[in-house]
């Protein structure tokens, strides 16, 4: 089921400060900030040779990462996204094995314009997993 | 400075349960458990097409992940490891920029037999970063 690691997402309280750190001190290739109002985040992509890191800053009043940043005010690793070939097949297999899919279980369109689902961290050793059909 | 994402490490309280989940439910390619007494962990590698995930379970009385699991009893994402071409050059640049390198700042031999350093999570938005010279 699991294919490539699509990205690791890091929630940050101050995107400009994080960009300065990754582009400057860490010498990484960093995209322009991209506000995604419908996802409640502004995102910056850090391009690595084999995958990418996404820095997420809350956007708007109902950001899905607001609660995480309340618990971790300095920021932290928020989730890992794996690619899957068929997200509905993956969902059905996970549910058959007793795993919880977040929300209503219907894939929504993720930040890359592709179908995504999130899995309950309590079922995966405290790790919030995103699945993306590529 | 940052090159490939070498791995993402997830601390788990029960490696056998985690292996069953990743190999079975998530259909991933999972290695045999490898006890690394000198690192205080037993590690399992999850091989993805572009990188790997490492599942870490405490080993012995002074495991470096024991404190993390006390705070996160179900487990969680512990650190991200990036490859660098020259770890001493990376260390000196980071220190010159005011970043804290953990321990005495001398690279030690990591779980893959290569020189590694860890950076202070408070300097990197709550993310524990490992650098590995490959």
């Amino acid at each position: 089921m699991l294919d490539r690691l699509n990205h690791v997402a890091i929630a940050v309280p101050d995107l400009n400060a994080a960009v300065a750190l990754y582009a400057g001190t860490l010498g990484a290739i960093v995209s322009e900030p991209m506000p995604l109002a419908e996802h409640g985040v502004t995102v910056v992509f850090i391009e690595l040779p084999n995958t990418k890191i996404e820095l997420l800053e809350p956007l708007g009043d109902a950001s899905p990462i607001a609660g995480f940043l309340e618990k971790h005010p300095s920021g932290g690793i928020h989730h890992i996204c794996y690619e899957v070939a068929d997200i509905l097949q993956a969902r059905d297999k996970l549910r058959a094995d007793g795993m919880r899919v977040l929300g209503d279980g219907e894939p929504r369109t993720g930040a890359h314009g592709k179908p995504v689902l999130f899995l309950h961290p309590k079922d995966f050793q405290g790790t919030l997993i995103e699945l993306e059909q590529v």
Side-chain angles (χ1 to χ4, degrees), chain A:
Chain A
M1 175 188 295
L2 296 189
D3 203 317
R4 293 177 78 258
L5 177 77
N6 186 275
H7 65 268
V8 178
I10 300 175
V12 303
D14 179 342
L15 195 55
N16 287 336
V19 164
L21 184 67
Y22 278 84
T25 296
L26 290 171
I29 299 167
V30 177
S31 76
E32 289 296 311
M34 190 183 304
L36 300 171
E38 71 278 25
H39 295 288
V41 293
T42 301
V43 63
V44 156
F45 300 99
I46 297 171
E47 298 291 346
L48 302 172
N50 59 332
T51 188
K52 59 186 183 289
I53 306 295
E54 297 187 8
L55 303 177
L56 306 176
E57 181 188 61
L59 176 64
D61 294 333
S63 174
I65 61 168
F68 180 89
L69 282 170
E70 268 171 36
K71 278 190 212 160
H72 309 91
S74 310
I77 302 174
H78 185 263
H79 67 264
I80 301 189
C81 177
Y82 298 105
E83 299 177 0
V84 294
D86 184 327
I87 202 161
L88 294 179
Q89 195 177 25
R91 176 196 65 187
D92 294 346
K93 155 83 167 134
L94 288 162
R95 281 182 163 170
D97 284 3
M99 302 296 127
R100 286 167 284 182
V101 177
L102 298 187
D104 63 5
E106 291 307 310
R108 61 182 187 81
T109 301
H112 314 134
K114 295 181 176 158
V116 302
L117 282 173
F118 284 86
L119 309 180
H120 201 306
K122 283 199 195 300
D123 293 338
F124 295 93
Q125 288 87 28
T127 303
L128 177 59
I129 294 178
E130 180 179 18
L131 299 180
E132 179 173 309
Q133 179 175 308
V134 290

Short mmCIF file of all heavy atoms in Angstrom, two decimals, chain A residues 51-115:
data_model
loop_
_atom_site.label_atom_id
_atom_site.label_comp_id
_atom_site.label_asym_id
_atom_site.label_seq_id
_atom_site.Cartn_x
_atom_site.Cartn_y
_atom_site.Cartn_z
N THR A 51 12.58 14.03 -1.85
CA THR A 51 11.23 14.27 -1.33
C THR A 51 11.13 15.73 -0.94
O THR A 51 11.99 16.54 -1.35
CB THR A 51 10.92 13.33 -0.13
OG1 THR A 51 9.54 13.45 0.24
CG2 THR A 51 11.81 13.62 1.06
N LYS A 52 10.11 16.12 -0.21
CA LYS A 52 10.04 17.50 0.23
C LYS A 52 9.53 17.63 1.66
O LYS A 52 8.88 16.72 2.19
CB LYS A 52 9.21 18.35 -0.73
CG LYS A 52 7.78 17.92 -0.93
CD LYS A 52 7.14 18.80 -2.02
CE LYS A 52 5.69 18.47 -2.23
NZ LYS A 52 5.45 17.16 -2.88
N ILE A 53 9.87 18.74 2.25
CA ILE A 53 9.36 19.13 3.56
C ILE A 53 8.37 20.25 3.32
O ILE A 53 8.61 21.11 2.46
CB ILE A 53 10.49 19.63 4.48
CG1 ILE A 53 11.63 18.61 4.58
CG2 ILE A 53 9.96 20.00 5.85
CD1 ILE A 53 11.27 17.31 5.24
N GLU A 54 7.26 20.23 4.03
CA GLU A 54 6.32 21.34 3.92
C GLU A 54 6.26 22.06 5.26
O GLU A 54 6.01 21.45 6.30
CB GLU A 54 4.93 20.83 3.54
CG GLU A 54 4.93 20.17 2.17
CD GLU A 54 3.55 19.81 1.66
OE1 GLU A 54 2.55 20.20 2.32
OE2 GLU A 54 3.47 19.13 0.63
N LEU A 55 6.50 23.37 5.21
CA LEU A 55 6.34 24.19 6.41
C LEU A 55 4.94 24.80 6.35
O LEU A 55 4.56 25.40 5.34
CB LEU A 55 7.38 25.31 6.43
CG LEU A 55 8.85 24.87 6.36
CD1 LEU A 55 9.76 26.10 6.31
CD2 LEU A 55 9.21 23.98 7.54
N LEU A 56 4.19 24.61 7.42
CA LEU A 56 2.79 25.07 7.46
C LEU A 56 2.61 26.13 8.55
O LEU A 56 2.99 25.91 9.70
CB LEU A 56 1.85 23.90 7.79
CG LEU A 56 1.93 22.64 6.93
CD1 LEU A 56 0.99 21.58 7.48
CD2 LEU A 56 1.60 22.97 5.48
N GLU A 57 2.01 27.24 8.16
CA GLU A 57 1.66 28.29 9.13
C GLU A 57 0.14 28.45 9.09
O GLU A 57 -0.45 28.41 8.01
CB GLU A 57 2.34 29.61 8.72
CG GLU A 57 2.09 30.77 9.65
CD GLU A 57 2.65 32.08 9.08
OE1 GLU A 57 2.19 32.50 7.99
OE2 GLU A 57 3.53 32.68 9.71
N PRO A 58 -0.49 28.63 10.25
CA PRO A 58 -1.95 28.77 10.24
C PRO A 58 -2.39 29.98 9.40
O PRO A 58 -1.72 31.01 9.37
CB PRO A 58 -2.30 29.01 11.72
CG PRO A 58 -1.13 28.51 12.49
CD PRO A 58 0.07 28.70 11.61
N LEU A 59 -3.53 29.81 8.72
CA LEU A 59 -4.11 30.90 7.94
C LEU A 59 -5.60 30.94 8.27
O LEU A 59 -6.30 29.92 8.16
CB LEU A 59 -3.90 30.62 6.44
CG LEU A 59 -4.52 31.61 5.45
CD1 LEU A 59 -3.90 33.00 5.59
CD2 LEU A 59 -4.34 31.10 4.02
N GLY A 60 -6.08 32.11 8.68
CA GLY A 60 -7.51 32.26 8.98
C GLY A 60 -7.86 31.79 10.38
O GLY A 60 -6.99 31.43 11.18
N ASP A 61 -9.16 31.80 10.66
CA ASP A 61 -9.64 31.59 12.03
C ASP A 61 -9.83 30.13 12.39
O ASP A 61 -10.01 29.79 13.55
CB ASP A 61 -10.98 32.32 12.23
CG ASP A 61 -10.79 33.82 12.14
OD1 ASP A 61 -9.67 34.28 12.44
OD2 ASP A 61 -11.73 34.52 11.75
N ALA A 62 -9.87 29.24 11.41
CA ALA A 62 -10.20 27.83 11.71
C ALA A 62 -9.14 26.92 11.11
O ALA A 62 -9.45 25.93 10.45
CB ALA A 62 -11.58 27.49 11.18
N SER A 63 -7.88 27.27 11.33
CA SER A 63 -6.81 26.46 10.73
C SER A 63 -6.76 25.08 11.38
O SER A 63 -6.84 24.96 12.61
CB SER A 63 -5.46 27.16 10.92
OG SER A 63 -4.42 26.30 10.48
N PRO A 64 -6.58 24.03 10.59
CA PRO A 64 -6.49 22.69 11.16
C PRO A 64 -5.22 22.46 11.98
O PRO A 64 -5.13 21.47 12.68
CB PRO A 64 -6.51 21.77 9.92
CG PRO A 64 -6.10 22.63 8.79
CD PRO A 64 -6.54 24.03 9.12
N ILE A 65 -4.26 23.39 11.88
CA ILE A 65 -3.05 23.21 12.69
C ILE A 65 -3.02 24.13 13.91
O ILE A 65 -2.03 24.15 14.66
CB ILE A 65 -1.76 23.39 11.86
CG1 ILE A 65 -1.67 24.79 11.26
CG2 ILE A 65 -1.67 22.34 10.76
CD1 ILE A 65 -0.29 25.09 10.68
N ALA A 66 -4.10 24.89 14.13
CA ALA A 66 -4.12 25.82 15.26
C ALA A 66 -4.01 25.08 16.59
O ALA A 66 -3.26 25.48 17.48
CB ALA A 66 -5.39 26.67 15.23
N GLY A 67 -4.74 23.99 16.73
CA GLY A 67 -4.70 23.22 17.98
C GLY A 67 -3.33 22.65 18.26
O GLY A 67 -2.84 22.67 19.39
N PHE A 68 -2.70 22.14 17.19
CA PHE A 68 -1.35 21.59 17.33
C PHE A 68 -0.38 22.66 17.84
O PHE A 68 0.43 22.40 18.73
CB PHE A 68 -0.87 21.04 15.98
CG PHE A 68 0.51 20.43 16.00
CD1 PHE A 68 0.68 19.09 16.31
CD2 PHE A 68 1.63 21.19 15.71
CE1 PHE A 68 1.96 18.53 16.33
CE2 PHE A 68 2.91 20.64 15.74
CZ PHE A 68 3.07 19.31 16.05
N LEU A 69 -0.48 23.87 17.28
CA LEU A 69 0.45 24.93 17.70
C LEU A 69 0.12 25.46 19.09
O LEU A 69 1.01 25.97 19.78
CB LEU A 69 0.46 26.07 16.66
CG LEU A 69 1.29 25.74 15.42
CD1 LEU A 69 1.07 26.77 14.32
CD2 LEU A 69 2.78 25.66 15.75
N GLU A 70 -1.12 25.30 19.52
CA GLU A 70 -1.41 25.66 20.92
C GLU A 70 -0.67 24.71 21.86
O GLU A 70 -0.14 25.12 22.88
CB GLU A 70 -2.92 25.57 21.19
CG GLU A 70 -3.63 26.89 20.96
CD GLU A 70 -5.14 26.74 21.01
OE1 GLU A 70 -5.64 25.94 21.82
OE2 GLU A 70 -5.81 27.43 20.20
N LYS A 71 -0.65 23.42 21.48
CA LYS A 71 0.04 22.43 22.32
C LYS A 71 1.55 22.51 22.15
O LYS A 71 2.31 22.14 23.06
CB LYS A 71 -0.41 21.02 21.92
CG LYS A 71 -1.73 20.59 22.54
CD LYS A 71 -1.97 19.09 22.30
CE LYS A 71 -3.44 18.79 22.16
NZ LYS A 71 -3.74 17.54 21.49
N HIS A 72 2.01 22.92 20.96
CA HIS A 72 3.45 22.99 20.65
C HIS A 72 3.74 24.38 20.10
O HIS A 72 3.88 24.55 18.88
CB HIS A 72 3.83 21.93 19.63
CG HIS A 72 3.39 20.54 19.96
ND1 HIS A 72 2.18 20.02 19.56
CD2 HIS A 72 3.99 19.56 20.68
CE1 HIS A 72 2.07 18.77 20.00
NE2 HIS A 72 3.14 18.47 20.69
N PRO A 73 3.83 25.38 20.99
CA PRO A 73 3.93 26.77 20.51
C PRO A 73 5.16 27.04 19.65
O PRO A 73 5.13 27.95 18.81
CB PRO A 73 3.99 27.59 21.80
CG PRO A 73 3.46 26.69 22.86
CD PRO A 73 3.80 25.29 22.46
N SER A 74 6.22 26.28 19.82
CA SER A 74 7.42 26.50 19.00
C SER A 74 7.30 25.84 17.63
O SER A 74 8.14 26.05 16.76
CB SER A 74 8.67 25.92 19.68
OG SER A 74 8.75 26.34 21.01
N GLY A 75 6.29 24.98 17.47
CA GLY A 75 6.14 24.20 16.24
C GLY A 75 6.55 22.76 16.46
O GLY A 75 6.90 22.36 17.58
N GLY A 76 6.51 21.99 15.39
CA GLY A 76 6.88 20.58 15.48
C GLY A 76 6.45 19.83 14.24
O GLY A 76 5.73 20.36 13.39
N ILE A 77 6.88 18.58 14.17
CA ILE A 77 6.51 17.75 13.03
C ILE A 77 5.03 17.39 13.16
O ILE A 77 4.62 16.84 14.18
CB ILE A 77 7.37 16.47 12.97
CG1 ILE A 77 8.86 16.84 12.89
CG2 ILE A 77 6.97 15.63 11.75
CD1 ILE A 77 9.79 15.64 12.98
N HIS A 78 4.25 17.72 12.16
CA HIS A 78 2.80 17.58 12.25
C HIS A 78 2.29 16.27 11.64
O HIS A 78 1.47 15.59 12.24
CB HIS A 78 2.14 18.78 11.55
CG HIS A 78 0.66 18.81 11.68
ND1 HIS A 78 -0.18 18.34 10.69
CD2 HIS A 78 -0.14 19.23 12.68
CE1 HIS A 78 -1.44 18.49 11.10
NE2 HIS A 78 -1.44 19.03 12.29
N HIS A 79 2.76 15.92 10.45
CA HIS A 79 2.33 14.66 9.85
C HIS A 79 3.31 14.19 8.78
O HIS A 79 4.21 14.92 8.38
CB HIS A 79 0.91 14.77 9.26
CG HIS A 79 0.76 15.67 8.07
ND1 HIS A 79 0.36 16.98 8.15
CD2 HIS A 79 0.96 15.44 6.74
CE1 HIS A 79 0.31 17.52 6.94
NE2 HIS A 79 0.68 16.61 6.06
N ILE A 80 3.12 12.93 8.37
CA ILE A 80 3.88 12.34 7.28
C ILE A 80 2.88 11.95 6.20
O ILE A 80 1.85 11.37 6.50
CB ILE A 80 4.61 11.04 7.72
CG1 ILE A 80 5.56 11.30 8.87
CG2 ILE A 80 5.39 10.44 6.57
CD1 ILE A 80 6.43 10.09 9.19
N CYS A 81 3.23 12.24 4.95
CA CYS A 81 2.34 11.89 3.84
C CYS A 81 2.98 10.83 2.95
O CYS A 81 4.08 11.02 2.44
CB CYS A 81 2.02 13.13 3.02
SG CYS A 81 0.98 12.77 1.58
N TYR A 82 2.26 9.73 2.81
CA TYR A 82 2.69 8.64 1.92
C TYR A 82 1.80 8.63 0.68
O TYR A 82 0.59 8.87 0.77
CB TYR A 82 2.53 7.28 2.63
CG TYR A 82 3.36 7.12 3.87
CD1 TYR A 82 2.76 7.18 5.13
CD2 TYR A 82 4.72 6.88 3.80
CE1 TYR A 82 3.52 7.00 6.29
CE2 TYR A 82 5.47 6.70 4.96
CZ TYR A 82 4.87 6.77 6.19
OH TYR A 82 5.61 6.60 7.34
N GLU A 83 2.41 8.27 -0.42
CA GLU A 83 1.63 8.11 -1.65
C GLU A 83 1.04 6.70 -1.71
O GLU A 83 1.66 5.74 -1.26
CB GLU A 83 2.53 8.36 -2.86
CG GLU A 83 3.10 9.77 -2.86
CD GLU A 83 4.07 10.05 -4.00
OE1 GLU A 83 4.31 9.13 -4.82
OE2 GLU A 83 4.59 11.17 -4.06
N VAL A 84 -0.15 6.62 -2.25
CA VAL A 84 -0.79 5.32 -2.51
C VAL A 84 -1.32 5.35 -3.94
O VAL A 84 -1.63 6.41 -4.49
CB VAL A 84 -1.94 5.02 -1.52
CG1 VAL A 84 -1.43 4.85 -0.10
CG2 VAL A 84 -3.03 6.08 -1.58
N ALA A 85 -1.45 4.16 -4.52
CA ALA A 85 -1.91 4.08 -5.91
C ALA A 85 -3.43 4.27 -6.00
O ALA A 85 -3.93 4.89 -6.93
CB ALA A 85 -1.52 2.72 -6.51
N ASP A 86 -4.15 3.77 -5.00
CA ASP A 86 -5.62 3.81 -5.05
C ASP A 86 -6.12 4.11 -3.65
O ASP A 86 -6.09 3.26 -2.76
CB ASP A 86 -6.15 2.45 -5.54
CG ASP A 86 -7.66 2.45 -5.71
OD1 ASP A 86 -8.36 3.14 -4.94
OD2 ASP A 86 -8.15 1.74 -6.60
N ILE A 87 -6.58 5.34 -3.46
CA ILE A 87 -6.89 5.79 -2.10
C ILE A 87 -8.16 5.11 -1.56
O ILE A 87 -8.27 4.88 -0.34
CB ILE A 87 -6.98 7.33 -2.04
CG1 ILE A 87 -6.77 7.81 -0.60
CG2 ILE A 87 -8.28 7.85 -2.64
CD1 ILE A 87 -6.40 9.26 -0.48
N LEU A 88 -9.10 4.79 -2.41
CA LEU A 88 -10.33 4.13 -1.92
C LEU A 88 -10.04 2.69 -1.51
O LEU A 88 -10.53 2.21 -0.48
CB LEU A 88 -11.42 4.19 -2.98
CG LEU A 88 -11.94 5.61 -3.29
CD1 LEU A 88 -13.00 5.56 -4.37
CD2 LEU A 88 -12.48 6.28 -2.04
N GLN A 89 -9.21 2.03 -2.30
CA GLN A 89 -8.80 0.68 -1.95
C GLN A 89 -8.02 0.69 -0.62
O GLN A 89 -8.24 -0.15 0.26
CB GLN A 89 -7.92 0.14 -3.08
CG GLN A 89 -7.70 -1.34 -3.05
CD GLN A 89 -6.87 -1.81 -4.26
OE1 GLN A 89 -6.09 -1.04 -4.83
NE2 GLN A 89 -7.02 -3.06 -4.63
N ALA A 90 -7.13 1.68 -0.48
CA ALA A 90 -6.36 1.81 0.77
C ALA A 90 -7.29 2.03 1.95
O ALA A 90 -7.17 1.39 2.99
CB ALA A 90 -5.36 2.96 0.64
N ARG A 91 -8.24 2.95 1.77
CA ARG A 91 -9.19 3.25 2.85
C ARG A 91 -9.96 2.00 3.27
O ARG A 91 -10.10 1.70 4.47
CB ARG A 91 -10.17 4.33 2.39
CG ARG A 91 -11.24 4.64 3.42
CD ARG A 91 -12.40 5.38 2.81
NE ARG A 91 -13.10 4.56 1.82
CZ ARG A 91 -14.07 5.00 1.03
NH1 ARG A 91 -14.44 6.28 1.10
NH2 ARG A 91 -14.67 4.19 0.18
N ASP A 92 -10.45 1.27 2.29
CA ASP A 92 -11.27 0.10 2.61
C ASP A 92 -10.46 -0.98 3.33
O ASP A 92 -10.94 -1.62 4.27
CB ASP A 92 -11.92 -0.45 1.34
CG ASP A 92 -12.93 0.54 0.76
OD1 ASP A 92 -13.31 1.49 1.49
OD2 ASP A 92 -13.32 0.38 -0.41
N LYS A 93 -9.21 -1.16 2.90
CA LYS A 93 -8.33 -2.13 3.56
C LYS A 93 -8.04 -1.70 5.01
O LYS A 93 -8.07 -2.52 5.94
CB LYS A 93 -7.03 -2.24 2.75
CG LYS A 93 -5.79 -2.70 3.50
CD LYS A 93 -5.72 -4.21 3.62
CE LYS A 93 -4.33 -4.66 4.09
NZ LYS A 93 -4.43 -5.65 5.16
N LEU A 94 -7.78 -0.40 5.19
CA LEU A 94 -7.49 0.11 6.54
C LEU A 94 -8.69 -0.07 7.45
O LEU A 94 -8.57 -0.51 8.60
CB LEU A 94 -7.07 1.58 6.46
CG LEU A 94 -5.68 1.79 5.86
CD1 LEU A 94 -5.50 3.23 5.39
CD2 LEU A 94 -4.60 1.44 6.88
N ARG A 95 -9.85 0.28 6.94
CA ARG A 95 -11.06 0.14 7.76
C ARG A 95 -11.34 -1.32 8.09
O ARG A 95 -11.75 -1.63 9.21
CB ARG A 95 -12.24 0.74 7.03
CG ARG A 95 -12.28 2.26 7.12
CD ARG A 95 -13.50 2.77 6.40
NE ARG A 95 -13.83 4.13 6.77
CZ ARG A 95 -14.74 4.86 6.14
NH1 ARG A 95 -15.40 4.33 5.10
NH2 ARG A 95 -14.99 6.09 6.51
N ALA A 96 -11.12 -2.20 7.12
CA ALA A 96 -11.34 -3.63 7.37
C ALA A 96 -10.42 -4.12 8.48
O ALA A 96 -10.76 -5.06 9.21
CB ALA A 96 -11.12 -4.43 6.08
N ASP A 97 -9.24 -3.50 8.60
CA ASP A 97 -8.29 -3.87 9.66
C ASP A 97 -8.55 -3.11 10.96
O ASP A 97 -7.74 -3.18 11.89
CB ASP A 97 -6.86 -3.62 9.18
CG ASP A 97 -6.38 -4.70 8.21
OD1 ASP A 97 -7.17 -5.59 7.87
OD2 ASP A 97 -5.20 -4.65 7.79
N GLY A 98 -9.63 -2.33 11.00
CA GLY A 98 -10.00 -1.66 12.24
C GLY A 98 -9.37 -0.30 12.45
O GLY A 98 -9.44 0.26 13.55
N MET A 99 -8.73 0.25 11.42
CA MET A 99 -8.08 1.57 11.55
C MET A 99 -9.11 2.67 11.32
O MET A 99 -10.04 2.51 10.52
CB MET A 99 -6.96 1.71 10.51
CG MET A 99 -5.89 0.63 10.61
SD MET A 99 -4.97 0.71 12.16
CE MET A 99 -5.15 -0.99 12.73
N ARG A 100 -8.90 3.78 12.00
CA ARG A 100 -9.84 4.90 11.85
C ARG A 100 -9.35 5.92 10.82
O ARG A 100 -8.20 6.39 10.92
CB ARG A 100 -10.03 5.58 13.21
CG ARG A 100 -10.89 4.78 14.17
CD ARG A 100 -10.80 5.33 15.57
NE ARG A 100 -9.54 4.96 16.21
CZ ARG A 100 -9.23 5.27 17.47
NH1 ARG A 100 -10.08 5.98 18.20
NH2 ARG A 100 -8.06 4.89 17.98
N VAL A 101 -10.21 6.23 9.89
CA VAL A 101 -9.93 7.28 8.90
C VAL A 101 -10.61 8.55 9.42
O VAL A 101 -11.76 8.49 9.86
CB VAL A 101 -10.50 6.87 7.53
CG1 VAL A 101 -10.30 7.96 6.50
CG2 VAL A 101 -9.84 5.56 7.07
N LEU A 102 -9.91 9.66 9.40
CA LEU A 102 -10.48 10.90 9.96
C LEU A 102 -11.58 11.45 9.06
O LEU A 102 -11.64 11.17 7.86
CB LEU A 102 -9.38 11.94 10.18
CG LEU A 102 -8.29 11.54 11.19
CD1 LEU A 102 -7.35 12.71 11.45
CD2 LEU A 102 -8.90 11.08 12.52
N GLY A 103 -12.43 12.29 9.66
CA GLY A 103 -13.54 12.90 8.92
C GLY A 103 -14.57 11.87 8.52
O GLY A 103 -14.77 10.87 9.22
N ASP A 104 -15.22 12.11 7.39
CA ASP A 104 -16.29 11.20 6.97
C ASP A 104 -15.75 10.05 6.11
O ASP A 104 -16.53 9.23 5.61
CB ASP A 104 -17.39 11.96 6.21
CG ASP A 104 -16.87 12.59 4.93
OD1 ASP A 104 -15.69 12.38 4.58
OD2 ASP A 104 -17.64 13.32 4.28
N GLY A 105 -14.43 9.99 5.94
CA GLY A 105 -13.84 8.89 5.21
C GLY A 105 -13.84 9.09 3.70
O GLY A 105 -13.30 8.27 2.97
N GLU A 106 -14.44 10.19 3.25
CA GLU A 106 -14.39 10.48 1.82
C GLU A 106 -13.14 11.31 1.53
O GLU A 106 -12.89 12.31 2.21
CB GLU A 106 -15.63 11.25 1.36
CG GLU A 106 -16.90 10.42 1.42
CD GLU A 106 -16.76 9.09 0.66
OE1 GLU A 106 -16.31 9.10 -0.49
OE2 GLU A 106 -17.08 8.04 1.26
N PRO A 107 -12.33 10.90 0.54
CA PRO A 107 -11.14 11.69 0.23
C PRO A 107 -11.52 13.13 -0.13
O PRO A 107 -12.55 13.36 -0.76
CB PRO A 107 -10.57 10.97 -1.00
CG PRO A 107 -11.12 9.59 -0.94
CD PRO A 107 -12.47 9.72 -0.31
N ARG A 108 -10.70 14.07 0.36
CA ARG A 108 -10.91 15.45 -0.07
C ARG A 108 -9.69 15.85 -0.91
O ARG A 108 -8.71 15.12 -0.98
CB ARG A 108 -11.12 16.37 1.13
CG ARG A 108 -9.96 16.42 2.09
CD ARG A 108 -10.25 17.33 3.30
NE ARG A 108 -9.07 17.50 4.13
CZ ARG A 108 -8.09 18.35 3.87
NH1 ARG A 108 -8.13 19.12 2.81
NH2 ARG A 108 -7.02 18.43 4.66
N THR A 109 -9.81 17.00 -1.54
CA THR A 109 -8.71 17.45 -2.39
C THR A 109 -7.66 18.13 -1.53
O THR A 109 -7.96 19.11 -0.84
CB THR A 109 -9.24 18.41 -3.47
OG1 THR A 109 -10.22 17.71 -4.24
CG2 THR A 109 -8.11 18.85 -4.39
N GLY A 110 -6.46 17.58 -1.53
CA GLY A 110 -5.39 18.10 -0.67
C GLY A 110 -4.70 19.32 -1.25
O GLY A 110 -5.11 19.86 -2.29
N ALA A 111 -3.64 19.73 -0.60
CA ALA A 111 -2.92 20.95 -0.98
C ALA A 111 -2.27 20.83 -2.35
O ALA A 111 -1.93 21.84 -2.96
CB ALA A 111 -1.86 21.27 0.09
N HIS A 112 -2.09 19.60 -2.84
CA HIS A 112 -1.48 19.43 -4.17
C HIS A 112 -2.53 19.17 -5.24
O HIS A 112 -2.20 18.75 -6.35
CB HIS A 112 -0.47 18.27 -4.17
CG HIS A 112 0.46 18.28 -3.00
ND1 HIS A 112 0.75 17.17 -2.25
CD2 HIS A 112 1.16 19.29 -2.44
CE1 HIS A 112 1.59 17.50 -1.28
NE2 HIS A 112 1.85 18.78 -1.36
N GLY A 113 -3.82 19.34 -4.88
CA GLY A 113 -4.90 19.12 -5.86
C GLY A 113 -5.21 17.66 -6.11
O GLY A 113 -5.80 17.31 -7.12
N LYS A 114 -4.78 16.80 -5.19
CA LYS A 114 -5.01 15.36 -5.36
C LYS A 114 -5.80 14.81 -4.18
O LYS A 114 -5.83 15.43 -3.12
CB LYS A 114 -3.66 14.65 -5.48
CG LYS A 114 -2.95 15.12 -6.75
CD LYS A 114 -1.62 14.45 -6.96
CE LYS A 114 -1.04 14.90 -8.30
NZ LYS A 114 0.41 14.73 -8.36
N PRO A 115 -6.43 13.64 -4.32
CA PRO A 115 -7.26 13.12 -3.23
C PRO A 115 -6.40 12.68 -2.04
O PRO A 115 -5.41 11.96 -2.21
CB PRO A 115 -7.97 11.90 -3.86
CG PRO A 115 -7.68 11.95 -5.31
CD PRO A 115 -6.47 12.79 -5.52
#
